[in-house]
Amino acid sequence: MTTSPGRQRSAIQLCAEQLGFTLIGEASDLGISARKTSPFERPSLSSWLRHPQEYNAIVWSHVDRAVRSVAHMAELIAWGRQHDRTLVFGMTEAEHPLEVTPQADSATIRRCMDLAYAAEQEARTISNRLTDSHEALRAAGRYGGGLVPFGYRKASHPSGSGWCLTPDPETTPVVRMIVEEVHAGHSLLAIARKLNETGVLVPRDRHAQLQGRPLGGAAVTDATSNTSAGRPEPCPRCCAARH
């Protein structure tokens, strides 16, 4: 089940109180997947990791908010030992958080690795399940959710059950124009500039418009792309703390 940022923050606060830490800052990498990026590749968190002298510990609401990879867990533990910093992971199934000090024994390290392995396997299972589900839906001519590809819009499936995609009369001509411009040798930057000047909405904004939501103002270069996106994973959130 997805944990909201608010619930993550509450769990982190509880961990800090149990261990006598005072929270001094927060790293929140919205939309960044812990499955695909290491802690050292996330913009907000990596900034804190580069300045370990400013705090004593980093606290996460759960192991899978920190890493979903055994290799990334090993990197994180090595970083903690190198800089003499403590890693703290909330444990929803236990009364107390998992505290990994620079002097942590082999049993604690093994537990971290086991939890990271479980998170990695869970992420792989979820990914495979979603992939299989979307492939089955596409094979049946159905729309499985996510950002609608530019040039299409969501419509009721002819069977009366679920959704499908149908050409969007407002953006289909734009897609044809883009293809013609590319074939004519024009650069994507030039095409994007032209689309921007004529007020063409980028895919995310058109999707939001069709759903009656506020426009998000995504990059105009997205308008030259015809890709769809799945649901983002919960953002990894953590806090720096001092004794």
Side-chain angles (χ1 to χ4, degrees), residues 63-215:
V63 168
D64 62 11
R65 300 302 87 200
V67 299
R68 282 184 176 266
S69 160
V70 171
H72 293 166
M73 176 62 83
E75 288 180 336
L76 204 54
I77 292 174
W79 173 89
R81 287 182 165 177
Q82 178 185 354
H83 297 286
D84 195 31
R85 293 296 177 265
T86 296
L87 311 175
V88 179
F89 306 105
M91 303 292 290
T92 55
E93 64 277 13
E95 292 184 2
H96 298 284
L98 175 58
E99 185 177 14
V100 187
T101 67
Q103 298 78 32
D105 58 23
S106 59
T108 301
I109 300 302
R110 191 180 309 113
R111 189 180 183 195
C112 286
M113 292 303 184
D114 288 344
L115 291 169
Y117 178 77
E120 183 175 345
Q121 293 301 108
E122 179 188 36
R124 184 175 292 114
T125 298
I126 292 173
S127 177
N128 291 339
R129 188 181 300 128
L130 287 173
T131 298
D132 292 344
S133 174
H134 280 280
E135 287 180 353
L137 287 170
R138 282 194 294 269
R142 296 178 182 276
Y143 164 64
L147 181 65
V148 174
F150 195 65
Y152 290 88
R153 63 188 301 166
K154 186 174 71 170
S156 297
H157 195 271
S159 67
S161 175
W163 302 92
C164 65
L165 295 178
T166 186
D168 180 358
E170 289 194 25
T171 56
T172 297
V174 178
V175 173
R176 293 197 179 101
M177 181 273 290
I178 292 173
V179 173
E180 291 171 359
E181 295 273 324
V182 171
H183 286 170
H186 298 286
S187 71
L188 294 181
L189 182 59
I191 297 171
R193 187 179 297 115
K194 180 177 180 179
L195 293 170
N196 192 39
E197 291 173 352
T198 55
V200 175
L201 295 178
V202 298
R204 286 189 182 278
D205 280 354
R206 177 57 179 165
H207 182 69
Q209 184 185 58
L210 290 172
Q211 307 235 345
R213 300 200 307 260
L215 305 187

Side-chain angles (χ1 to χ4, degrees), residues 53-72:
Q53 71 280 0
E54 297 179 3
Y55 51 88
N56 302 113
I58 297 183
V59 186
W60 285 270
S61 60
H62 197 270
V63 168
D64 62 11
R65 300 302 87 200
V67 299
R68 282 184 176 266
S69 160
V70 171
H72 293 166

